[in-house]
Amino acid sequence: MIELTRQYGRYGYRRVAALLRGAGWQVNDKRVERLWKREGLKVPMKQPKKGRLWMNDGSCVRLRPEYRNHVWSYDFVHHRTDDGRAFRTLNILDEYSRECLAIRVKRKLNSTEVIDALTDLFILRGVPAYIRSDNGPEFIAEAVRDWIKAVGAKTAYIEPGSPWENGYCESFNGRMRDELLNGEVFYSLREAQIIIESWRTHYNTKRPHSALGYNPPAPEAIVPMDQRPIMH
């Protein structure tokens, strides 16, 4: 438990308990909580709950995801390498499964890069029904809107100045900064790309997610030895 806390310093006892159970330990949350307090470990402060913006007719502005590939969302995060040079990440999520589909890391990311990143995912995953984003110039560019429409998806832009309407991506960005970016020194862009991709894999396959019953969004599939094909 202490080793996991050292490795994932922003995880609370419930998430650590889920990791322990995933590793084969037969422990419940209450037992881990008792040990957590005995060792003087500090539970990270809970994030305040976010409300939704409601219209006069009682409808909600937020488009609720109902199945995989229903609503994807994407956003940029800004950071710097150790030499002070800026880089950006383009984070793309499936809002229903909470899986991070891709993180593209480059010094500069424009509308062409957005289309390129989405093209790769559409080939691998299929085309979502909606793509949600803020009103940044890279997302509202005519080329991006026309291309998304051409492949059969729809755009869902949030209201200007209303980041809570893109809550899934905002939440992911916050966790990425809190659990990764704030604790790493990147000496080069290539190093940032490798470490961020490794974190994305961990986020999808191992990191317990509270909204998913402390299960990861896309857990790794392990084939038992007796079911693996025999190589000749």
Side-chain angles (χ1 to χ4, degrees):
M1 184 186 74
I2 293 173
E3 179 58 34
L4 287 172
T5 305
R6 287 197 188 104
Q7 189 173 359
Y8 308 113
R10 295 297 299 168
Y11 285 9
Y13 72 87
R14 290 187 181 89
R15 194 160 276 126
V16 168
L19 286 174
L20 288 170
R21 287 191 290 270
W25 294 83
Q26 296 183 358
V27 292
N28 57 33
D29 287 359
K30 289 186 177 180
R31 184 179 181 188
V32 173
E33 184 183 17
R34 287 197 302 271
L35 293 170
W36 185 277
K37 290 180 178 179
R38 192 186 75 183
E39 295 298 324
L41 300 173
K42 185 178 180 181
V43 179
M45 293 179 61
K46 291 184 178 179
Q47 296 295 320
K49 293 183 178 179
K50 296 181 175 66
R52 290 180 170 83
L53 183 64
W54 295 88
M55 304 296 284
N56 292 332
D57 61 1
S59 61
C60 183
V61 172
R62 182 193 289 274
L63 171 67
R64 295 172 181 267
E66 298 176 359
Y67 50 85
R68 286 178 182 270
N69 275 12
H70 181 205
V71 184
W72 290 3
S73 58
Y74 52 10
D75 198 8
F76 290 113
V77 169
H78 301 259
H79 202 61
R80 293 181 182 275
T81 45
D82 188 56
D83 58 7
R85 297 179 62 196
F87 69 84
R88 305 174 85 189
T89 73
L90 172 63
N91 303 339
I92 307 175
L93 310 178
D94 183 309
E95 293 190 358
Y96 182 81
S97 69
R98 305 297 209 280
E99 183 179 0
C100 177
L101 304 177
I103 301 178
R104 181 160 291 202
V105 183
K106 287 198 172 184
R107 295 289 182 190
K108 295 182 180 180
L109 289 166
N110 53 29
S111 58
T112 301
E113 293 284 353
V114 171
I115 292 175
D116 187 54
L118 289 176
T119 299
D120 291 345
L121 288 175
F122 287 176
I123 293 171
L124 293 172
R125 305 264 183 165
V127 178
Y130 294 90
I131 300 178
R132 192 197 314 266
S133 73
D134 62 23
N135 293 270
E138 300 87 355
F139 300 138
I140 64 173
E142 185 175 356
V144 174
R145 288 183 295 172
D146 289 348
W147 181 81
I148 289 175
K149 181 179 179 181
V151 298
K154 296 180 181 179
T155 54
Y157 296 112
I158 68 173
E159 286 294 317
S162 304
W164 57 84
E165 291 184 29
N166 199 13
Y168 294 99
C169 231
E170 290 288 333
S171 176
F172 175 84
N173 293 347
R175 282 167 172 73
M176 177 180 173
R177 188 168 294 283
D178 184 42
E179 297 175 9
L180 175 67
L181 299 181
N182 288 347
E184 291 282 350
V185 176
F186 302 113
Y187 292 102
S188 67
L189 181 66
R190 183 57 182 158
E191 182 183 38
Q193 291 169 337
I194 293 171
I195 292 176
I196 290 172
E197 179 60 22
S198 176
W199 181 83
R200 185 185 76 87
T201 300
H202 169 81
Y203 179 90
N204 285 336
T205 61
K206 294 182 179 179
R207 181 190 186 278
H209 198 298
S210 58
L212 302 175
Y214 287 92
N215 293 307
E220 292 176 311
I222 301 175
V223 180
M225 290 295 292
D226 58 355
Q227 295 182 20
R228 296 180 184 180
I230 299 174
M231 304 300 292
H232 296 285

